[in-house]
Amino acid sequence: MNRTARWLLLLPLLLNLSCRQTAPLDTCIIPQPQETEPLGGVLNLERPLHVEIESPDSEALAAWIVTTGLPLADPSREGQPVRFPQLRLACSDDASLPESEEGYRLEITRRGVEILSRGEAGLFYGLQTLQQLYDHYGAELPCMRITDAPRFPYRGLHLDVSRHFFDKEFVKKQLRMMARLKLNRFHWHLTDGAGWRIEIDRYPQLTDVAAWRRGATWQQWRDGGHRYCRRDDPEASGGYYTKADIREVVALADSLHITVIPEIEMPAHSEEVLAVYPGLSCTGKPYATGDFCIGNEATFEFLEHVLTEVMELFPSEWIHIGGDEASKQGWKSCPKCRERMRREGLASVDELQNYAVHRINGFLAGHGRRLIGWDEILDGGLAPDAVVMSWRGEEGGRKAAAAGHEVVMTPGSHCYFDGYQDNPTTEPQAFSGYLPLRKVYAYDPAPDAMPGREWIRGVQANLWTEYIPTPEQAEYMLYPRLFALAEVAWSQPGQKNFDDFHRRALDLTERIRRAGYNAFDLAHEAGERPESLTETDHLARGCRVDYATRWRDQYAAGGETALTDGLRGSWSYGTRWQGFLDDIDVTIDLGTTKPLHEITADFIQWFSAWVWLPMRVEIAVSDDGREFRTLATLTNDYPEEAERPEYRAFGWQGEARGRYVRYRAWRNDRPGGWLFTDEIIVR
Ligand code: ACM
């Protein structure tokens, strides 16, 4: 064969190679890296990688690498001349690297893998990316260059271990998954009314009694009158972390580049403390309130002693002090609180709460720490340098950011993973709200137009556990939604694409299910309430509605056209459902007298949100709008105490004629209870 013929034979191969060079890569990495460039060719890992690390903390990285499953050469041969393929990790201040110490550049060539970063964390995250690539491609890694850095420095997960206790092994397992997703803050909600979970030497009653309840679930504790028992009670259920447990968790987190932020709740959510140290409450009696007495110096002594032991265990600069949902009622009549208000010139109980937060802020600052709290710490004036965690929507966070305070966004609407992720009538019992993967993914904590957006330090998913009694259920609620949160926190908004993310999330969900995480089965997600996906056409559509009782503004759903606009509510009562705190009494004018066969409306029961099906419904018609003939009177047989969400139609079917349709629904008599309906359908 002559030379030309040989070249011609090679041509298809060469063409194939050049195609490979330009083909985009479907890398399956979560969170999506900033830039991925294919370099052409493949690194074959049939031959193991020779590891070389140039970084001050090379031992920690070397220890981590052996856990990744990457094929590694025997380290005893190190020190010999450079051998290939190589896995080289190096800290470098090369100007072309991302500025962030968490950023990195990863290059895969036929000679091996090189990861460069300005910091240890960046090398660690580069390794996470490499591990995901290896999981996806196996031993044939496409050559590529990835340049990557996080959008936000704070990328968090919160876990409530008070409502249900989760042991240290569970916590460590979730920390490992956090690291894989490049999350770097673990907010440990260690204390709350349902149980104290951290050993404090000075106050043994906290873990001898306040950490234990009869009955395994939060519901049993709630329904049994919020009582605690001794740890040696035969029916005791609960638990706490010893100091050794906490040191173990903090050390693992540190090796995973995760900071653990402890939360010690004050001045409210403290029923468990006041049950065992009742002298710290305004009444002096156990089981009377969850608020500490702010007038009593002993309260501050207690809190400062506890925080001192907490700071010994947790190196985190930020210490979370809760601050949310104080009732403040007892303070109004408490002589000590009133005396404190008089002496300090405080005009309201909001200012009294603020006094407590400022005082604790000063104490923490004196120990080189910073206070972070839920957005209620804004009420009455924010302490200087305090960090705000915005949960009651984004408003608190926006206000604090605009005033130049650091903020972490955790709005209930997008970050509370205790809500349903799929059809609430078939999913395991959860708290309120419908928060599917798509909605978490859509969140932007710092949109371009937000004033002060540079103060948004990041974003966090919160897992409150009232309805999460087991570790399996906790994982079910966390994954895959935590993948979406990770991409919100790490990737730039311009890179986000839900369809592409969904493909990657399916892959990773399957992978972690095989690895023993009880993730929600994303491949079988049912999705949004079917009625809400199309418009409903019917005789009353577009007709005028007279409201004898009016909706509430926070659930207007479009106001006076809501009940005849053809648009149906989603699984969430907050979307397109009209909310009433009174009975409903509305009349629709069809324009002319018409034959009628059906009149119906859907309602919701959502116990945890205090939303109930109507006790009774009456449907009537009229020709003149004055004289009405009742077509149906309906009652409700769904139990009021049923906690599972329920969607039910209350309707009439038959033969009638009329121009005016009057629909009345009676609320049950629970104070503050809601009625929600989305459309009155007439056929
Ligand atoms: C909260 O959800 N109470 C912070």
Side-chain angles (χ1 to χ4, degrees):
M1 202 185 291
N2 68 31
R3 274 166 173 268
T4 319
R6 269 195 224 173
W7 274 109
L8 281 175
L9 272 179
L10 273 173
L11 201 58
L13 250 180
L14 290 171
L15 282 174
N16 189 21
L17 203 68
S18 67
C19 281
R20 265 200 198 170
Q21 278 180 345
T22 52
L25 292 164
D26 76 345
T27 55
C28 258
I29 299 166
I30 293 178
Q32 182 76 282
Q34 268 189 13
E35 264 180 62
T36 305
E37 289 167 72
L39 298 178
V42 165
L43 166 65
N44 192 312
L45 291 184
E46 300 288 326
R47 288 185 304 149
L49 289 160
H50 296 265
V51 178
E52 187 188 307
I53 305 176
E54 293 162 35
S55 121
D57 198 10
S58 60
E59 270 176 37
L61 279 169
W64 172 259
I65 289 172
V66 296
T67 70
T68 59
L70 289 162
L72 303 175
D74 180 355
S76 64
R77 301 193 168 211
E78 298 304 331
Q80 300 184 5
V82 176
R83 290 147 54 93
F84 295 98
Q86 196 189 29
L87 170 55
R88 177 169 181 265
L89 296 114
C91 278
S92 159
D93 52 10
D94 185 311
S96 68
L97 289 173
E99 267 176 39
S100 160
E101 297 212 337
E102 294 185 307
Y104 62 91
R105 186 167 65 222
L106 176 151
E107 226 168 67
I108 302 174
T109 63
R110 290 191 180 88
R111 290 163 66 81
V113 182
E114 183 182 66
I115 301 174
L116 299 179
S117 169
R118 290 178 194 274
E120 301 278 336
L123 297 180
F124 181 75
Y125 291 138
L127 270 177
Q128 298 301 330
T129 296
L130 179 62
Q131 186 177 0
Q132 286 200 25
L133 288 170
Y134 180 65
D135 286 348
H136 182 58
Y137 289 107
E140 299 229 321
L141 286 184
C143 296
M144 68 181 85
R145 180 183 303 118
I146 292 181
T147 310
D148 198 10
R151 180 178 183 203
F152 293 109
Y154 186 115
R155 305 178 300 279
L157 170 65
H158 150 288
L159 178 68
D160 165 14
V161 294
S162 172
R163 275 51 177 262
H164 288 102
F165 179 66
F166 299 90
D167 70 15
K168 71 174 178 195
E169 293 307 326
F170 174 83
V171 172
K172 285 159 62 183
K173 186 177 172 195
Q174 311 323 310
L175 289 173
R176 291 189 193 98
M177 186 56 64
M178 284 178 68
R180 185 171 179 151
L181 298 170
K182 304 189 174 85
L183 297 172
N184 66 354
R185 296 288 185 280
F186 176 59
H187 170 175
W188 210 353
H189 187 79
L190 286 162
T191 74
D192 208 302
W196 182 277
R197 306 297 180 201
I198 171 173
E199 181 174 41
I200 300 293
D201 297 331
R202 196 179 179 102
Y203 300 108
Q205 291 293 306
L206 294 172
T207 42
D208 283 345
V209 178
W212 304 94
R213 325 180 289 235
R214 293 204 183 110
T217 67
W218 174 83
Q219 282 92 334
Q220 286 167 318
W221 171 76
R222 177 196 63 191
D223 298 342
H226 298 193
R227 299 288 145 149
Y228 313 89
C229 64
R230 292 201 60 82
R231 63 194 298 174
D232 52 10
D233 187 296
E235 287 175 52
S237 170
Y240 65 91
Y241 307 101
T242 64
K243 290 195 164 176
D245 292 339
I246 288 189
R247 287 193 188 98
E248 192 179 321
V249 168
V250 169
L252 174 71
D254 185 53
S255 76
L256 300 173
H257 295 270
I258 295 170
T259 302
V260 184
I261 300 176
E263 179 179 350
I264 304 297
E265 271 276 17
M266 62 189 83
H269 282 278
S270 298
E271 291 88 340
E272 86 290 25
V273 178
L274 303 178
V276 294
Y277 298 109
L280 303 179
S281 80
C282 293
T283 61
K285 296 192 182 77
Y287 301 114
T289 169
D291 293 354
F292 283 102
C293 174
I294 306 298
N296 188 350
E297 271 308 293
T299 291
F300 291 94
E301 278 164 31
F302 171 84
L303 293 172
E304 291 178 5
H305 285 312
V306 167
L307 287 172
T308 300
E309 292 193 35
V310 166
M311 287 187 287
E312 281 163 17
L313 291 167
F314 294 93
S316 168
E317 185 192 3
W318 292 8
I319 304 286
H320 204 301
I321 58 93
D324 57 320
E325 298 184 308
S327 117
K328 305 173 187 167
Q329 290 310 309
W331 301 345
K332 291 180 181 164
S333 52
C334 165
K336 287 187 185 138
C337 288
R338 289 165 67 94
E339 171 58 16
R340 172 86 73 200
M341 287 170 69
R342 192 192 60 75
R343 248 188 302 125
E344 300 289 337
L346 307 171
S348 65
V349 286
D350 281 347
E351 289 186 18
L352 185 61
Q353 151 130 349
N354 201 255
Y355 163 88
V357 173
H358 272 71
R359 210 168 139 174
I360 296 297
N361 186 62
F363 175 75
L364 291 174
H367 291 78
R369 308 298 180 102
R370 297 213 16 225
L371 178 149
I372 174 168
W374 302 110
D375 56 58
E376 284 92 334
I377 65 170
L378 281 159
D379 301 344
L382 189 57
D385 294 333
V387 184
V388 172
M389 192 166 261
S390 191
W391 73 280
R392 296 177 299 176
E394 293 180 284
E395 196 176 314
R398 286 171 178 262
K399 209 164 109 189
H405 287 279
E406 291 185 272
V407 169
V408 176
M409 285 295 197
T410 65
S413 56
H414 292 80
C415 296
Y416 271 43
F417 286 10
D418 53 349
Y420 290 90
Q421 61 197 315
D422 206 359
N423 180 346
T425 65
T426 52
E427 282 296 289
Q429 172 81 57
F431 210 78
S432 63
Y434 169 59
L435 180 57
L437 185 71
R438 180 186 287 275
K439 187 168 179 191
V440 179
Y441 191 76
Y443 183 50
D444 184 349
D448 286 346
M450 179 192 281
R453 66 195 284 270
E454 67 277 16
W455 291 101
I456 306 297
R457 292 291 170 254
V459 58
Q460 175 172 288
N462 292 343
L463 195 66
W464 300 101
T465 58
E466 283 91 340
Y467 291 89
I468 302 180
T470 64
E472 292 75 22
Q473 184 60 13
E475 289 181 354
Y476 183 86
M477 301 305 272
L478 283 175
Y479 309 110
R481 288 186 289 189
L482 197 61
F483 306 168
L485 193 283
E487 196 145 313
V488 167
W490 181 278
S491 308
Q492 296 296 328
Q495 293 178 287
K496 282 168 62 188
N497 171 323
F498 182 73
D499 291 338
D500 182 64
F501 167 74
H502 190 260
R503 176 184 64 80
R504 288 177 282 125
L506 278 172
D507 180 85
L508 188 54
T509 301
E510 280 315 305
R511 204 174 289 290
I512 75 165
R513 280 162 69 95
R514 286 198 296 274
Y517 287 83
N518 184 43
F520 166 73
D521 182 5
L522 184 61
H524 293 99
E525 183 183 16
E528 183 52 279
R529 183 173 180 243
E531 290 86 342
S532 71
L533 299 176
T534 55
E535 300 192 3
T536 302
D537 217 1
H538 58 98
L539 269 188
R541 188 158 180 205
C543 292
R544 194 171 59 82
V545 182
D546 260 338
Y547 283 83
T549 56
R550 196 176 180 279
W551 65 87
R552 295 294 156 143
D553 286 341
Q554 60 272 50
Y555 299 106
E560 58 193 15
T561 58
L563 298 182
T564 52
D565 60 5
L567 304 178
R568 311 289 301 281
S570 82
W571 290 131
S572 164
Y573 55 81
T575 311
R576 291 199 189 142
W577 293 89
Q578 194 161 54
F580 298 80
L581 272 176
D582 303 304
D583 301 335
I584 296 177
D585 184 357
V586 293
T587 303
I588 302 171
D589 180 0
L590 299 174
T592 55
T593 295
K594 295 183 174 161
L596 305 172
H597 309 292
E598 181 178 18
I599 301 166
T600 185
D602 284 356
F603 288 83
I604 313 181
Q605 176 148 319
W606 204 311
F607 181 96
S608 58
W610 228 236
V611 175
W612 274 278
L613 294 172
M615 244 175 17
R616 189 159 65 90
V617 162
E618 199 177 287
I619 299 167
V621 290
S622 157
D623 299 323
D624 58 7
R626 288 187 297 275
E627 299 278 314
F628 280 85
R629 302 180 293 283
T630 300
L631 298 178
T633 302
L634 309 160
T635 52
N636 171 35
D637 59 5
Y638 190 70
E640 222 175 78
E641 62 286 355
E643 297 199 30
R644 171 171 289 289
E646 176 73 6
Y647 300 73
R648 281 210 179 175
F650 287 76
W652 158 86
Q653 284 185 329
E655 300 297 327
R657 291 178 66 78
R659 170 174 170 176
Y660 297 91
V661 172
R662 186 174 186 189
Y663 195 105
R664 301 173 73 186
W666 281 265
R667 231 163 49 88
N668 77 13
D669 41 18
R670 294 205 189 211
W674 290 86
L675 274 182
F676 278 81
T677 188
D678 60 344
E679 185 84 0
I680 298 178
I681 297 165
V682 180
R683 295 195 167 95

